[in-house]
Amino acid sequence: MIQPYADLGLQREEYDRICALLDRQPSDAELAMYAVMWSEHCSYKSSKVHLRQFADLPRSEALLAGMGENAGVVEVGPGLAVTFKVESHNHPSYVEPYQGAATGVGGIVRDILAMGARPVAVLDSLRFGAADAPDTRRVLPGVVAGVGGYGNCLGLPNIGGEVVFDPTYAGNPLVNALCLGVLPSERLQLSSASGVGNQVLLLGSLTGRDGIGGVSVLASATFEESGGPSKRPSVQVGDPFTEKIVIECCLELFDRGLVSGIQDLGGAGLACGLSETAAKGGVGMRIDLAAVPLREASMVPLEILTSESQERMLAIVAPQDVAAALAVAERWGVLATVIGQVTETGRLVVDWRGEVVVDVPPGSLADDGPVYSRPMCRPADLDALAAAVPAGLPRPVTGEELRATLVRLVGSPNLCSRRWVTDQYDRYVLGDTVLAQPEDAGVVRLDEKTGLGVALALDGNGRYTRLDPYAGAQLALAEAYRNVAVVGARPLAVTNCLNVGSPEDPAVMWQFAEITRGLADGCRALGLPVTGGNVSFYNSTGAVPINPTPVVGVLGVMADVARRTPIGFRHPGEAVYLLGRTEEEFGGSEWAWVVHQHLGGRPPRVDFGAEQRLAGVCAQAADEGLLGAAHDLSDGGLAQALVECCLRYGVGAEVEPDLGPAADPFVALFAESAARAVVAVPPPAEERLHVLCTEQGVPALRIGRTGGDHLIVSGVCTVPLADLRAAHAGTLPALFG
Amino acid sequence: MPGRIGVVTFPGSLDDRDARRAVRRAGGTPVALWHAEEDLHGVDAVILPGGFSYGDYLRCGAIARFAPIMRVVVDGARDGLPVLGICNGFQILCEAHLLPGALIRNVGRRFGCVDQPLIVGNAATAWTSAYTSGQRIVVPLKNGEGCYLADERVLDELEATGRVVARYAVDDEHPDPNGSARAIAGVCNPDGTVVGLMPHPEHAVEALTGPGQDGLGFFTSILGAVPGVLAGR
């Protein structure tokens, strides 16, 4: 009998391997399970060999659970831990923007819940094609409404993220969502099944035909030129209300000690949940598939096993606790069904109406998938890109030209106000949001009595990474690290979502290897563990991959969130300092892109030592309450940072054009050198700031003072804040209504 | 014993924890009430918090009004029990006919979360006595279906009898947030005991986590009003 392995996304060699593992042909249901479990999305078969570098990083004392679990868990205070992770939902969001983005949020929230944590905040990193491209008008409003619709309805504040436009993402928008959760350390849950005789409980939504093959058909293949909407049946549909009650139900089950293991059902559905929990626990399972409550009665075993219906969790419950667990579910209105039990056989056996349809070792699905060392080849055009330096591009020289450049950049799609997007997100719910967008990092209070809290930032830069994947990954890490440090937190751990093209393209695989190497080296330099993450391959349209885009999340801890430093100038008469060194760095810059549509040269230099010293100054200054404001410098350079500082509370500033080593005002204003921040300091605290900067070896340049309702660059230009606000605020509403 | 203020949790309630915190910060004792119980546990007043009860997949608040707890809330309200409905709670109060009018989808058809300036219209209700009439306060507003509608006769009557509790302050910097008739952000029953409010005062009770503390007055008001209300019953 010839089986349809290729249609399910399996290679011939992979199919042969399945037959060899089983010593027979797989049943239809088994074949479907192997197809989804051995898909790129579930098995990490192309990335595994590179991701091992993260596991080799020095382990932090604070790390309670790391890679391999649903999300990493870090202890932040006595008996108190947080868990966080970022994940992609790129392909579904292109096919069906609202549901794709919504279920992306839903999926990462369940990962966090599965660790035993209460989800308390989300961040989203979004990338679209050119802002004025027709398809962006289809995709962006739906994605934003989906992220908002799901998160708002779950009652999770959205506290930060990014929105980036670049033609490279036109056929492959990126939707990466991060969720933060909090748990008492002793409530940590693990996703393994144990205890022969324990019952397997399915919680949450009915199982339907939605999302079948999502991980294999959608997320593990490249879009053909016209392939998008025809794959719509592979996109899941979200029900945030059910997720909300599933969260409350699970938290009560954890608190009452009624579950011994738990796993969320997302990509690959029951096939994944059953095989992973059984494999982790080294046990077998006997499942009665007919017990699974279905949305459509006509579903067949392979559909039930691979359905990606959302808002479902799999719990392992001791027999004597089943009645109590079912009562908790009943109280929350959550459907709960015993579908099987843990056995000593070491095999995953699935019955369907009196017939055994699956009988396999669970580890063969979860752990024994193929591992590829894919061929790699440095992209042929990299040298040419590096040689196309931005030095020769015409630059603004006169005061009027500089003013016009400033206003143009402030209103450009990547630098303008994000309020059109972020106003669709609830940032207040749960009452513990201390900072949210447009601040550098989101800050959430965890303990009302002590003020203990955490800061989170999520950053990436596809253009830098295109020019140099190793450096680009490190720059993403450096920016997220800096954003967390600038608000006054001490960086503690890293998560990442690596978005690239097809792993079958050797040039993409080389980029991916460089990204992981850069990130691992960067984390080693900063002394931070990678606690988990996600890989999204196949972000290609036809043969053209996206600019490789590692998105990096950094979590920091604050002993007292009342000491956080916001970005906005609030009081006139404060001294404005530029911390860090400015070089003539324009490769991959926003200026080169907006003004000249130019991408070439080298991205800014990375100096983790300088980042650590800057972070040290910011954290100490925040502890001592020295700063009125602090803002990290990144895209758009000093000019953009100053505009954002001024517009936040409508307090202007006057700064000198002669910024020390970078005497050229154009370089001073628009260069994108890393490891820099602008801070506002009340005059009595200036001396202390100098001492801190000298101790740490951070260059500190007094560049002006706050006040007035203009941004004045002395001797260069004077721009009313009203003009800046109009340019900054008007762009997205004009594009998206 | 400080005033005991009940906060109802429906499936899908989201701001219940915040409402309890606001009661506590105002000096009261929050009491968690459960939608499925027909029991107010002797509280002095009730808050129906924000959220998406039952997902609000049907008309907002249309299912929650049939929850067992609503029987005792409605009966209590008719006997003078003070009730504050915030956002989804306001929608539930309208669906339960304790307040006139309805809340429909925002005119912009998008969910909006903004720091919203309000003008207090009636500072004589059980929930607004800490303010002065005409006072400008800033409170977060966050909703997708916050456009208040009622027929002209009802709107005229609400205005004539001082039952517009708060309006949106609309100016150059603060555009109309949702298209509500006559910029109405909140209304009350004729006695001023039942108040529905679209903005979220419970998110403006401490400067650290909100735009300020302008919302605290709703909770201090009721704590001041409670003994009087009880004495009157």
Side-chain angles (χ1 to χ4, degrees):
Chain A
M1 181 177 70
I2 295 171
Q3 294 191 292
Y5 61 86
D7 295 341
L8 296 171
L10 286 166
Q11 303 293 317
R12 173 80 213 189
E13 312 79 69
E14 293 170 344
Y15 173 72
D16 290 343
R17 191 145 159 234
I18 295 164
C19 295
L21 271 170
L22 298 177
D23 203 19
R24 59 174 164 81
Q25 276 198 335
S27 69
D28 290 352
E30 288 166 345
L31 183 64
M33 289 173 80
Y34 281 103
V36 289
M37 287 306 291
W38 287 13
S39 71
E40 186 64 58
H41 184 89
C42 284
S43 72
Y44 289 79
K45 58 190 169 190
S46 304
S47 55
K48 240 180 196 165
V49 295
H50 302 284
L51 297 177
R52 283 185 189 134
Q53 298 170 85
F54 298 149
D56 293 342
L57 289 169
R59 278 178 68 94
S60 151
E61 289 277 302
L63 198 61
L64 301 182
M67 289 176 53
E69 285 300 329
N70 285 305
V73 180
V74 192
E75 192 150 61
V76 292
L80 189 67
V82 298
T83 174
F84 72 120
K85 188 180 169 190
V86 58
E87 218 169 56
S88 64
H89 227 217
N90 303 336
H91 296 81
S93 300
Y94 175 65
V95 175
E96 212 299 300
Y98 185 96
Q99 294 297 347
T103 53
V105 173
I108 191 64
V109 167
R110 284 193 306 280
D111 274 342
I112 294 306
L113 175 65
M115 299 310 297
R118 172 176 282 282
V120 294
V122 294
L123 293 84
D124 60 323
S125 166
L126 310 178
R127 285 178 166 75
F128 304 100
D132 55 1
D135 202 47
T136 301
R137 221 160 296 160
R138 171 184 74 94
V139 176
L140 181 142
V143 165
V144 171
V147 169
Y150 206 99
N152 295 342
C153 194
L154 277 189
L156 295 179
N158 186 312
I159 58 169
E162 334 168 78
V163 181
V164 177
F165 299 97
D166 191 296
T168 190
Y169 307 112
N172 296 95
L174 303 185
V175 175
N176 294 179
L178 184 153
C179 183
L180 169 74
V182 184
L183 64 155
S185 304
E186 79 275 2
R187 200 170 74 191
L188 179 63
Q189 304 288 321
L190 296 175
S191 57
S192 73
S194 59
V196 170
N198 278 355
Q199 303 291 297
V200 180
L201 199 60
L202 178 61
L203 293 161
S205 289
L206 297 171
T207 298
R209 282 202 171 94
D210 47 333
I212 288 175
V215 291
S216 48
V217 181
L218 261 188
S220 301
T222 297
F223 284 136
E224 296 312 320
E225 292 297 345
S226 61
S230 70
K231 294 182 172 178
R232 194 166 288 150
S234 298
V235 179
Q236 313 84 335
V237 177
D239 172 3
F241 169 65
T242 296
E243 181 122 323
K244 166 71 180 167
I245 56 177
V246 165
I247 291 172
E248 300 300 337
C249 170
C250 287
L251 290 172
E252 191 173 333
L253 291 174
F254 301 152
D255 280 335
R256 295 177 53 179
L258 294 173
V259 298
S260 70
I262 189 145
Q263 167 83 304
D264 71 294
L265 297 182
L270 276 169
C272 180
L274 296 172
S275 62
E276 284 192 357
T277 50
K280 258 193 195 143
V283 296
M285 269 185 196
R286 182 116 201 179
I287 300 298
D288 177 12
L289 212 52
V292 174
L294 300 180
R295 198 170 289 156
E296 294 157 88
S298 60
M299 288 175 73
V300 298
L302 75 90
E303 292 176 312
I304 301 168
L305 285 163
T306 62
S307 160
E308 294 185 9
S309 287
Q310 300 290 289
E311 295 93 23
R312 297 179 303 159
M313 301 289 287
L314 193 71
I316 310 298
V317 180
Q320 67 274 19
D321 292 331
V322 167
L326 293 176
V328 168
E330 163 93 32
R331 173 176 141 83
W332 283 105
V334 170
L335 188 61
T337 316
V338 173
I339 62 167
Q341 57 188 321
V342 176
T343 64
E344 75 292 348
T345 63
R347 294 187 76 87
L348 174 58
V349 179
V350 178
D351 297 307
W352 172 253
R353 297 177 182 170
E355 189 188 337
V356 172
V357 290
V358 174
D359 184 353
V360 300
S364 70
L365 287 160
D367 304 322
D368 300 341
V371 176
Y372 296 133
S373 282
R374 302 258 192 202
M376 298 188 279
C377 172
R378 190 170 178 274
D381 61 359
L382 263 196
D383 290 329
L385 264 179
V389 293
L393 302 173
R395 297 177 173 188
V397 178
T398 66
E400 173 49 30
E401 286 168 354
L402 284 160
R403 189 201 64 78
T405 303
L406 174 69
V407 174
R408 181 171 173 192
L409 282 176
V410 162
S412 66
N414 286 336
L415 298 180
C416 68
S417 167
R418 265 64 196 125
R419 275 195 59 176
W420 189 92
V421 172
T422 57
D423 278 0
Q424 297 187 51
Y425 303 153
D426 183 347
R427 61 185 175 275
Y428 284 115
V429 64
L430 298 183
D432 286 312
T433 305
V434 175
L435 291 179
Q437 56 277 354
E439 299 288 341
D440 279 334
V443 172
V444 174
R445 177 176 62 186
L446 304 179
D447 187 326
E448 206 172 330
K449 289 197 185 72
T450 65
L452 176 72
V454 293
L456 265 168
L458 193 55
D459 290 289
N461 188 314
R463 285 200 307 266
Y464 291 166
T465 315
R466 174 75 172 91
L467 295 177
D468 181 342
Y470 181 88
Q474 296 201 331
L475 283 160
L477 170 65
E479 186 180 350
Y481 175 89
R482 196 183 319 127
N483 276 325
V484 159
V486 159
V487 301
R490 288 187 162 78
L492 203 60
V494 174
T495 182
N496 63 82
C497 187
L498 310 179
N499 308 275
V500 296
S502 164
E504 295 158 43
D505 175 347
V508 168
M509 216 47 229
W510 181 84
Q511 291 173 328
F512 184 76
E514 286 293 290
I515 287 168
T516 51
R517 194 170 66 84
L519 204 50
D521 287 352
C523 288
R524 195 171 292 112
L526 292 171
L528 297 177
V530 173
T531 60
N534 171 242
V535 175
S536 176
F537 278 124
Y538 294 100
N539 295 288
S540 308
T541 301
V544 184
I546 58 163
N547 286 348
T549 309
V551 170
V552 179
V554 171
L555 174 112
V557 65
M558 293 187 83
D560 182 1
V561 290
R563 300 271 181 185
R564 86 289 188 203
T565 312
I567 63 167
F569 296 154
R570 203 185 271 273
H571 305 290
E574 294 188 342
V576 178
Y577 280 79
L578 174 62
L579 308 184
R581 199 174 306 284
T582 304
E583 306 285 349
E584 187 172 329
E585 294 181 300
F586 288 96
S589 68
E590 208 56 53
W591 169 78
W593 181 254
V594 170
V595 178
H596 299 288
Q597 291 77 56
H598 178 272
L599 174 59
R602 294 268 321 140
R605 202 169 52 86
V606 184
D607 180 346
F608 286 114
E611 299 286 0
Q612 282 180 306
R613 293 190 288 277
L614 177 67
V617 167
C618 290
Q620 188 60 33
D623 280 353
E624 296 182 23
L626 301 181
L627 303 180
H631 193 0
D632 120 281
L633 266 58
S634 55
D635 314 9
L638 175 65
Q640 178 69 18
L642 285 172
V643 168
E644 289 171 0
C645 292
C646 290
L647 290 183
R648 188 80 171 109
Y649 302 118
V651 174
E654 177 166 5
V655 297
E656 303 289 329
D658 176 14
L659 300 181
D664 177 352
F666 166 74
V667 174
L669 288 172
F670 300 110
E672 297 189 1
S673 301
R676 295 186 302 160
V678 62
V679 298
V681 194
E686 280 186 73
E687 199 182 319
R688 178 63 188 146
L689 180 70
H690 273 288
V691 171
L692 282 182
C693 289
T694 307
E695 276 174 12
Q696 293 275 355
V698 171
L701 206 59
R702 191 183 202 280
I703 59 170
R705 61 176 188 81
T706 62
D709 51 8
H710 292 71
L711 176 59
I712 302 170
V713 184
S714 301
V716 175
C717 61
T718 296
V719 196
L721 293 192
D723 292 5
L724 291 171
R725 188 179 302 283
H728 192 237
T731 308
L732 293 189
L735 284 163
F736 301 106
Chain B
M1 186 76 173
R4 297 173 74 247
I5 313 297
V7 177
V8 178
T9 297
F10 298 97
S13 290
L14 304 177
D15 302 299
D16 43 347
R17 200 179 86 158
D18 304 313
R20 293 199 299 267
R21 188 201 313 249
V23 167
R24 207 169 57 238
R25 292 194 84 91
T29 303
V31 178
L33 300 177
W34 184 244
H35 69 100
E37 283 181 8
E38 216 169 316
D39 188 349
L40 293 175
H41 294 275
V43 295
D44 301 314
V46 170
I47 296 173
L48 306 181
F52 294 78
S53 53
Y54 301 91
D56 280 344
Y57 296 143
L58 198 61
R59 225 169 44 235
C60 299
I63 298 178
R65 72 159 282 209
F66 292 108
I69 189 112
M70 285 305 293
R71 283 181 222 137
V72 280
V73 169
V74 170
D75 288 350
R78 298 216 162 107
D79 289 342
L81 174 77
V83 181
L84 173 65
I86 302 170
C87 197
N88 195 219
F90 186 8
Q91 294 162 341
I92 296 167
L93 288 177
C94 290
E95 288 289 338
H97 304 298
L98 284 175
L99 291 174
L103 293 138
I104 65 165
R105 199 157 167 78
N106 296 347
V107 282
R109 302 187 54 74
R110 283 198 299 272
F111 185 95
C113 176
V114 291
D115 296 342
Q116 180 65 45
L118 304 174
I119 305 295
V120 176
N122 181 345
T125 78
W127 299 90
T128 55
S129 60
Y131 301 101
T132 53
S133 187
Q135 187 177 345
R136 185 184 165 100
I137 60 175
V138 176
V139 168
L141 174 73
K142 40 166 211 172
N143 61 69
E145 309 203 9
C147 176
Y148 183 75
L149 279 191
D151 65 42
E152 291 296 315
R153 187 183 53 76
V154 171
L155 292 170
D156 289 343
E157 188 192 322
L158 287 173
E159 288 188 329
T161 53
R163 290 169 59 194
V164 175
V165 174
R167 289 183 209 264
Y168 302 112
V170 176
D171 55 41
D172 286 349
E173 258 185 77
H174 304 95
D176 179 356
N178 51 29
S180 289
R182 307 192 193 179
I184 289 174
V187 299
C188 64
N189 66 349
D191 295 340
T193 48
V194 178
V195 169
L197 195 66
M198 214 53 212
H200 289 259
E202 80 281 17
H203 291 316
V205 296
E206 52 174 335
L208 185 64
T209 55
Q213 301 185 56
D214 287 359
L216 201 56
F218 286 87
F219 307 95
T220 55
S221 295
I222 192 61
L223 292 170
V226 162
V229 169
L230 290 179
R233 275 205 279 170

